[in-house]
Amino acid sequence: MTAVTLAWTELRRAARDRTFLFFVLFLPFMVILLIGVTTSGFTQERVAVVQADRSAMADALVAGLDAAPGLRVVGATTRDAGVQRLRSGEVTAVVLVPAGFSSTLQSGGSVVVPVLTTGEVGSGGSTLTTIRSVVARQAATVQAAAFATRSVSGTFDQNHARALALQRESPAAGVRTEVVDSASSYLPLGFSYSAPTMLVLFVFINATAGGAAIIQTRRLGIFSRALAAPVRPRDLVLGEGLCYLTLAVAQAALIVLVGGLVFGVNWGNPLAATVLVTVWCLVGTGAGLVSGTLFHTPEQASAIGPAVGIGFGMLGGCMWPLEIVPAGVRAAGHLTPHAWAVDAWVTLLSRGGGLSDILGPLAVLSAFAVALLGTATLRLRRSLTTA
């Protein structure tokens, strides 16, 4: 029996474990989907629109609001219903399209479009700016239609429709943005936040929980029978390591592929991301082997290992950004490998970094991997030779 044969045998046994497959294949993607959808909602502000005028011009204003970047329009039947949604935090603002909106504008009058907000400091500032921009664009088409009706020919509705068409066809003024402070300490919202952090979390958790397999193998006497054959202890250690590394790499690769193809996650620089994922899989492999040699029963490994992984994930920034916690908690988080992995993903995804930019976190993670793999190797060889 060689190391590869042992690794293949362990992988086949893991593939028959439905509980293990649930945690490896199903649960990570459900959590990624849940967190991704939740945080994606923060990139769009919900605005309630109470439309008391049902004219084409009022419909065009509502359509413009709904098409505006960063806004999502939800309907409200009455002003009181809109205010109730505003008070409950369901919407950021309430736009009131008054009755007679279209007729007043067509007759040359002016119309005030009230916008209701909570009045809290910093609440709805960007939303108000976007709403003003949409209303201003609508006002420009109304003024153009009124001028054409007075000076040329045609009805107001005809000229307004023509003005809207010209506005859509005319090229918009380009805006070039330059990020002054590109040293963001936060991952992007949405799936670009949930996928990398859940990769870090679940590769570690499943590895530590998988330590139960080593304990079960030892209790069943498989190691003893293998050593009775011309098999060296180091082959058994290497075989277990290959098995855990293969599982970690398979799960990480699956998260990367599904994250990119299904959720549209941009994993940053390909070389840097590949190296980071590989090093993290080595950390997970070491943690899983330590779990298998540290605990005495499979139940202990299955129960305590994931709890430790979740605790490390919380401290290391997998659940929330470390920038929002006190400095002491942030320092404690960096005693875990998770924080260094998340730091590296922040550099790749939020700052556009490359391999050279994450050498520091990679060095720390490599040290964790060497320490865990070294400890696991010594403990497993000792248990095999004294069995």
Side-chain angles (χ1 to χ4, degrees), residues 178-229:
E178 179 180 350
V179 180
V180 177
D181 181 15
S182 60
S184 174
S185 299
Y186 301 90
L187 283 168
L189 294 178
F191 298 115
S192 293
Y193 174 86
S194 61
T197 54
M198 292 305 104
L199 184 152
V200 171
L201 182 66
F202 277 102
V203 166
F204 193 91
I205 287 178
N206 287 326
T208 55
I214 293 181
I215 302 173
Q216 190 69 22
T217 300
R218 187 170 63 244
R219 293 177 67 176
L220 292 174
I222 296 176
F223 285 150
S224 300
R225 292 196 296 272
L227 289 173

Side-chain angles (χ1 to χ4, degrees), residues 227-380:
L227 289 173
V231 177
R232 294 169 296 185
R234 70 179 184 184
D235 291 331
L236 296 179
V237 174
L238 183 58
E240 290 293 338
L242 286 175
C243 173
Y244 277 74
L245 180 60
T246 301
L247 290 173
V249 170
Q251 184 180 32
L254 191 60
I255 292 177
V256 169
L257 287 175
V258 174
L261 298 178
V262 178
F263 301 130
V265 177
N266 180 4
W267 293 93
N269 182 280
L271 176 60
T274 301
V275 174
L276 176 57
V277 169
T278 302
V279 173
W280 183 250
C281 288
L282 289 172
V283 173
T285 299
L289 293 175
V290 169
S291 172
T293 60
L294 183 64
F295 298 113
H296 299 289
T297 65
E299 293 75 18
Q300 288 180 344
S302 300
I304 301 176
V308 172
I310 292 173
F312 281 6
M314 295 173 67
L315 278 174
C318 293
M319 310 296 187
W320 47 73
L322 288 179
E323 292 299 317
I324 68 174
V325 302
V329 178
R330 189 158 57 249
H334 280 85
L335 296 176
T336 70
H338 298 62
W340 297 97
V342 173
D343 286 349
W345 282 120
V346 169
T347 300
L348 294 183
L349 303 187
S350 297
R351 304 175 190 171
L355 182 60
S356 61
D357 299 305
I358 61 171
L359 290 179
L362 284 177
V364 177
L365 290 175
S366 298
F368 272 108
V370 170
L372 290 170
L373 289 170
T375 301
T377 299
L378 292 176
R379 292 183 60 87
L380 188 54

Side-chain angles (χ1 to χ4, degrees), residues 42-68:
F42 296 143
T43 62
Q44 279 194 325
E45 298 288 355
R46 293 163 60 91
V47 176
V49 175
V50 181
Q51 189 176 349
D53 187 279
R54 292 295 174 179
S55 64
M57 194 178 300
D59 291 341
L61 175 60
V62 176
L65 290 171
D66 196 34

